[in-house]
Amino acid sequence: MIDIQNQPDYRNIPIDKVGIKGLKYPVKVLDKTTGLQSTVAQISMYVDLPHQCKGTHMSRFVEILHLFRTKVSLESITNILEDMKKILGAKSSHIEITFPYFIEKKSPETGSKGLMDYTCSIIGSSNGKTDTDIVLTVAVPVTSVCPCSKEISEYGAHNQRGEVLVSTRFKRLIWIEHIVELVETCASCDIFSVLKREDEKFVTEKAYDNPKFVEDIARDVAKALMEDNNITWFSVSAENFESIHNHSAYAYIEKGIVS
Amino acid sequence: MIDIQNQPDYRNIPIDKVGIKGLKYPVKVLDKTTGLQSTVAQISMYVDLPHQCKGTHMSRFVEILHLFRTKVSLESITNILEDMKKILGAKSSHIEITFPYFIEKKSPETGSKGLMDYTCSIIGSSNGKTDTDIVLTVAVPVTSVCPCSKEISEYGAHNQRGEVLVSTRFKRLIWIEHIVELVETCASCDIFSVLKREDEKFVTEKAYDNPKFVEDIARDVAKALMEDNNITWFSVSAENFESIHNHSAYAYIEKGIVS
Amino acid sequence: MIDIQNQPDYRNIPIDKVGIKGLKYPVKVLDKTTGLQSTVAQISMYVDLPHQCKGTHMSRFVEILHLFRTKVSLESITNILEDMKKILGAKSSHIEITFPYFIEKKSPETGSKGLMDYTCSIIGSSNGKTDTDIVLTVAVPVTSVCPCSKEISEYGAHNQRGEVLVSTRFKRLIWIEHIVELVETCASCDIFSVLKREDEKFVTEKAYDNPKFVEDIARDVAKALMEDNNITWFSVSAENFESIHNHSAYAYIEKGIVS
Amino acid sequence: MIDIQNQPDYRNIPIDKVGIKGLKYPVKVLDKTTGLQSTVAQISMYVDLPHQCKGTHMSRFVEILHLFRTKVSLESITNILEDMKKILGAKSSHIEITFPYFIEKKSPETGSKGLMDYTCSIIGSSNGKTDTDIVLTVAVPVTSVCPCSKEISEYGAHNQRGEVLVSTRFKRLIWIEHIVELVETCASCDIFSVLKREDEKFVTEKAYDNPKFVEDIARDVAKALMEDNNITWFSVSAENFESIHNHSAYAYIEKGIVS
């Protein structure tokens, strides 16, 4: 049977990335507390294609993923990237894995247990020359109270759910839990899935005591990331789903750290 | 050229709805203030298909829409539905048009002008026997302050953006503006696209003076709709994008009103 | 501490549904092959609220879910609904659970293994009078080849990915796998995550031999569901993401079956 | 009234981008055929914030947009960016405007008219040093027929809707219509909103005569863009919503062109 993909191409144009996009697959990801956590990921996998080749072999990407699905971690990503290059005969490989990650959290006063979801993604690239490049992104939902509203009003202060998105490059492997904790400390208050009345009083007062603009949250998270000498690069965005508007307030800081 | 769709079908199964779904099209909709408003709609159009016909003629739906796109209103929907039945040779027709609708709003203290968007949909059905059935749905973003949080806390109160979805059937045509105004009166406070500091003080204090659960908002909107003798049926849902959780609080009331 | 939710309400308006919406939670669902399958669900849980009560207790919904998350099935839904009524002091309860469900599938010629995802939802309602009402919905992606295009063209035929959505009520519990198999048999061809070249030849020819309009797919699925005497009600929609248009073709059939 | 935003900040961390995100607004955009086209945009607007300032003034972004909404073009973007810097007292400004753009298209055989929608975005950045940086992105839906499937099968060939995303930087202003035409020429066939049977025969046969992998489409678009000496940089991605899989095939090429 003829292999059309393997035929020569004469346009003289190499392709940066070619592969599969948007595949939904069940995976197990490394969990600090329980070892492995079952979740469902959205996955894209690409390799480069040299100018003289007509096409890549799409089915091999899924076959590689099928083998690796039982242990996805910042470490195993490197192996997947190597396998992709070897099996597809490519010089560079790229993978993007996005999944909800769940952490058990106790409410602050009554200690009621519930699971909080944090959308995470691991983006890995390998070009065969330098080290593999890996970026971990964690989305952390938070509460923010507006300092301006609190200051100028006789009483009350508008507040809302926000989302802080942190992307990092790092020397040694880091835990999702570490980023979550770092961000939650920088918000007006963190968020829970279960809150009894005593807890609700606690988070209301804590948030009101701790008003923060999106600018403040972005800066406080940036400051904490700059003080972590394991982090070599980061970007942080803070987005508030404003309770007084139908659009968001947004702040973004990016920084490469010279060691 | 053979007309496959016109061939007979022997499975003896009539089809309730067949047609096109998810077509994006620019339309002009009736605007209380300016006459007509340009917007972009997402449209689905269906007719029934009797058991003995193999298929419908999909291109005719778009042709009908292309003619009617310059004036979409609760009135013109009836004409579109009649044309659909005539041109497709059907007994019943159904259309769903969803679009953002913009209303100019002045901020409460400084009178700063901005446009607020309200996602609306018109769903029309005609079966040729009784009157055309038309449902207007309007989504109104609002601010809600939690009464429990306010009461039990020493200071502050968690609040958030919410969305109130109102669907109505009615005797005489009604304006989107009427529904928006009715809902905004029932929230802790309404929402604006532009707020200067004096305005922000106003909405913060107004909302804090006016705490409401999703249950309260749903009930107050339901009460107002029940008192409007033009409304013959309604459903109202209130959803709060909780600032202390990563999920929503929700309340729903539906009521047919015997005249 | 005062319980605001427990205070009396004087508006005289009962609430049909009140609770939590859009909570993301990891769950284990009944799996025909492996016993239990880990996945991630989007969940909404509501109860009714009588006219004299001001509010419901939102945290209890999450606590109930937290206990039941380790085994979600058509059977356990009944228990969840009973617990919701008991713990919330309500007369009726309602739950909606939506999740991707994965089934291992071998490619038709080379037997290559991969996992296919099917988005499923279980909607359960209990009003305490009659039996619990449970609806299972399964979304099955398929290939469809256009019979008109095949017939009128000298060669080729436009085809595309489609999605068939089947909702059922039933006497005895049914398997997701049963619905998936039933639907896949009715399409031009079924869909796979891994296809080698021999497999691609197979599915191309099978689909071309088997052209179907959305009307045909909807009717063939309806016919199969009508012949299954365990099914007491169903709706089926077939949607084609047309390769020649930027919108979908759509057909819908609903049927209650008198036993 | 105190201006909290104007207070000094001592964290010594400048913010790259701060402003509003996800505002929906009606705008008029430059239209090659009709002069101006009414559509609805999703808009984000940011400026930088120096390390010594606590916060920006969010309401001013909406006020600027409110003035400029009646004429959005690649040219007017420069003026908006200048106004943003001036009115917000910033050194750099950034805007992202995404909107559906409609072009009337006649079907290939019968000349039936319909509107096709192309999602476009304009991203502009100004840092006050060099020229304003503007990137135009156009999403063009297309038909693609798989060359491998055609070659190895006795008859038929799987095909599907795809989307080609082209981003460009340029010397002189370019028209959205130019990019659309360039891309549609490179696909197996272009897509229409209205097709009668004669047209359907035409597009089926044209597509079958013209099989293309995502790799081919990406390369042919890249080649055409490289030959256009007005283009100084581009990226092109081709994504096929595979009719035989539940995921996409994808190819990406990016190129800066040295003049």
Side-chain angles (χ1 to χ4, degrees), chain C residues 3-258:
Chain C
D3 188 347
I4 298 281
Q5 281 86 345
N6 256 349
Q7 290 182 333
D9 198 275
Y10 301 104
R11 278 163 292 198
N12 202 31
I13 301 178
I15 294 182
D16 296 305
K17 289 178 192 165
V18 59
I20 59 167
K21 186 182 170 191
L23 178 67
K24 211 181 272 184
Y25 232 73
V27 295
K28 291 188 183 175
V29 297
L30 205 63
D31 182 310
K32 195 178 178 185
T33 309
T34 64
L36 284 174
Q37 172 174 148
S38 293
T39 185
V40 174
Q42 191 87 7
I43 296 157
S44 300
M45 301 168 79
Y46 312 125
V47 294
D48 73 306
L49 189 71
H51 71 85
Q52 71 275 10
C53 296
K54 189 162 174 61
T56 192
H57 292 83
M58 298 284 180
S59 62
R60 297 181 192 171
F61 294 95
V62 186
E63 290 175 319
I64 294 167
L65 175 66
H66 195 67
L67 289 175
F68 276 98
R69 75 186 188 282
T70 52
K71 190 171 179 188
V72 170
S73 69
L74 294 174
E75 266 181 301
S76 74
I77 287 294
T78 305
N79 300 330
I80 300 179
L81 289 167
E82 288 308 309
D83 268 32
M84 286 170 66
K85 288 191 291 184
K86 200 165 63 189
I87 291 168
L88 274 306
K91 284 196 180 143
S92 68
S93 56
H94 183 86
I95 188 167
E96 302 181 10
I97 305 187
T98 302
F99 53 90
Y101 184 82
F102 295 88
I103 300 177
E104 191 183 86
K105 242 180 120 172
K106 286 183 190 169
S107 68
E109 288 289 328
T110 67
S112 304
K113 285 181 189 171
L115 297 170
M116 271 292 298
D117 70 299
Y118 304 91
T119 303
C120 300
S121 66
I122 302 174
I123 298 182
S125 299
S126 169
N127 61 12
K129 290 169 199 158
T130 57
D131 281 350
T132 303
D133 180 52
I134 297 180
V135 175
L136 171 69
T137 301
V138 182
V140 184
V142 298
T143 301
S144 75
V145 172
C146 177
C148 171
S149 169
K150 178 181 174 182
E151 186 65 31
I152 63 179
S153 305
E154 297 287 326
Y155 39 79
H158 80 80
N159 52 75
Q160 52 268 318
R161 198 192 301 162
E163 187 180 74
V164 178
L165 211 64
V166 172
S167 297
T168 54
R169 291 188 171 91
F170 36 83
K171 298 175 198 160
R172 299 173 312 282
L173 300 189
I174 57 173
W175 292 101
I176 293 168
E177 285 80 356
H178 173 64
I179 300 292
V180 167
E181 207 183 303
L182 183 153
V183 170
E184 292 189 338
T185 313
C186 297
S188 292
C189 190
D190 50 337
I191 271 181
F192 300 83
S193 58
V194 182
L195 289 172
K196 311 304 287 181
R197 254 173 309 144
E198 291 79 356
D199 304 310
E200 191 171 350
K201 174 179 159 63
F202 180 92
V203 297
T204 301
E205 294 172 358
K206 179 178 172 189
Y208 191 79
D209 282 335
N210 210 16
K212 299 222 180 181
F213 288 126
V214 278
E215 291 95 326
D216 292 316
I217 297 174
R219 274 174 168 147
D220 287 345
V221 173
K223 195 160 175 288
L225 292 166
M226 286 162 73
E227 286 163 2
D228 182 336
N229 64 19
N230 186 35
I231 307 287
T232 58
W233 171 93
F234 69 83
S235 74
V236 52
S237 71
E239 178 175 0
N240 275 358
F241 310 116
E242 297 285 288
S243 61
I244 59 171
H245 296 303
N246 203 22
H247 58 263
S248 295
Y250 179 88
Y252 177 85
I253 298 170
E254 182 180 339
K255 204 166 179 71
I257 296 164
V258 185

Side-chain angles (χ1 to χ4, degrees), chain B residues 80-152:
Chain B
I80 299 178
L81 289 167
E82 288 308 309
D83 268 32
M84 286 170 66
K85 289 191 292 185
K86 202 165 61 189
I87 291 169
L88 274 307
K91 283 197 179 142
S92 68
S93 56
H94 183 87
I95 188 167
E96 303 182 9
I97 305 187
T98 302
F99 51 91
Y101 184 81
F102 294 88
I103 299 177
E104 190 183 87
K105 243 180 120 173
K106 287 181 189 169
S107 69
E109 287 289 327
T110 67
S112 304
K113 285 180 188 171
L115 297 170
M116 270 293 297
D117 71 296
Y118 304 93
T119 302
C120 300
S121 66
I122 302 174
I123 298 182
S125 299
S126 169
N127 62 11
K129 291 170 199 158
T130 58
D131 282 348
T132 304
D133 180 53
I134 296 180
V135 175
L136 172 69
T137 300
V138 182
V140 184
V142 298
T143 301
S144 74
V145 171
C146 177
C148 171
S149 168
K150 178 181 173 182
E151 187 65 31
I152 62 179

Side-chain angles (χ1 to χ4, degrees), chain A residues 143 154 159 192 205 243 245, chain B residues 143 154 159 192 205 243 245:
Chain A
T143 301
E154 298 286 326
N159 52 74
F192 299 84
E205 294 172 358
S243 61
H245 295 304
Chain B
T143 301
E154 297 285 327
N159 53 74
F192 299 84
E205 294 172 0
S243 61
H245 295 303

